[in-house]
Amino acid sequence: MTNFYKVGIIVNTQGLQGEVRVLPTTDFPEERFAKNVVLAVFDDKENYVQDLTVKSGKSYKKMWLVKFDGLYHINDVEKFKGMTLKISEENLTALSDGEFYYHEIIGLDVYENNNLIGKISEILQPGANDVWVVKRQGKRDLLLPYIPSVILNVDVKNQRVNVDVMDGLDDV
């Protein structure tokens, strides 16, 4: 069975010509919403709906405006509002050293000085850097900025992240 990875959410339609507004959930929107890329649409219950081929995509404020082949009118795309766009595993692009896909990071164990402090539960994109959310036992979630002085080492193969929690990051 093919694995799929979320790249965006269709939040609304745009105009009358079948364009949609997509909130990207990928660091590579210019690749994911490029001409001829095939994206799978999933409903809110994570059921596969259909594949769509990108005809055009362009950045628009903090969103992307995407037009799909064969969908020329607002009535053709209205049904996709709120649905998720995903890319199949075989269409993932190889990354450089030190770059990771979200699905590779979420679920990794987080260690500080060889002490397990929690597990990465999600990745936020508030602005300048990503923020990794660490779910901890009996404590509030820890928010760690993805910067070299905090995230020391990521070892996807061994499911481990080594961190240095600087003063002020953990106020509990």
Side-chain angles (χ1 to χ4, degrees):
M1 180 170 181
T2 302
N3 289 323
F4 288 90
Y5 301 103
K6 185 174 172 180
V7 296
I9 301 164
I10 298 174
V11 294
N12 211 342
T13 57
Q14 175 75 22
L16 300 174
Q17 304 301 312
E19 220 170 17
V20 293
R21 286 188 212 169
V22 176
L23 178 63
T25 57
T26 174
D27 283 338
F28 313 105
E30 57 286 331
E31 290 178 29
R32 302 296 174 233
F33 309 123
K35 185 175 178 61
N36 296 325
V37 170
V38 177
L39 298 172
V41 180
F42 286 78
D43 66 16
D44 60 351
K45 293 180 178 49
E46 290 298 312
N47 296 313
Y48 170 83
V49 175
Q50 74 182 79
D51 283 343
L52 295 174
T53 302
V54 176
K55 182 174 184 170
S56 66
K58 63 185 177 228
S59 180
Y60 174 74
K61 299 183 181 175
K62 292 191 179 205
M63 306 257 182
W64 275 73
L65 298 181
V66 180
K67 181 125 177 76
F68 297 104
D69 283 344
L71 304 177
Y72 304 109
H73 193 271
I74 187 172
N75 294 341
D76 298 333
V77 295
E78 187 82 35
K79 63 186 174 200
F80 297 121
K81 281 198 321 193
M83 294 192 184
T84 302
L85 295 171
K86 297 185 179 188
I87 193 162
S88 63
E89 189 166 38
E90 59 265 13
N91 289 327
L92 291 177
T93 313
L95 298 178
S96 303
D97 284 345
E99 294 183 329
F100 312 97
Y101 284 110
Y102 285 9
H103 70 269
E104 294 177 305
I105 300 301
I106 294 172
L108 295 185
D109 290 327
V110 179
Y111 289 85
E112 183 177 35
N113 300 322
N114 281 328
N115 295 320
L116 178 65
I117 61 172
K119 191 178 283 285
I120 297 172
S121 63
E122 68 179 304
I123 298 173
L124 306 175
Q125 294 179 300
N129 353 297
D130 288 353
V131 174
W132 294 5
V133 180
V134 180
K135 180 80 60 199
R136 302 184 292 179
Q137 203 73 29
K139 291 184 177 179
R140 288 197 328 216
D141 291 349
L142 179 62
L143 303 178
L144 298 177
Y146 182 62
I147 56 175
S149 59
V150 175
I151 308 296
L152 304 177
N153 181 350
V154 178
D155 185 348
V156 173
K157 191 172 122 196
N158 292 309
Q159 299 286 294
R160 180 184 177 116
V161 176
N162 294 313
V163 301
D164 179 18
V165 181
M166 300 185 317
D167 290 342
L169 287 179
D170 188 3
D171 58 1
V172 178

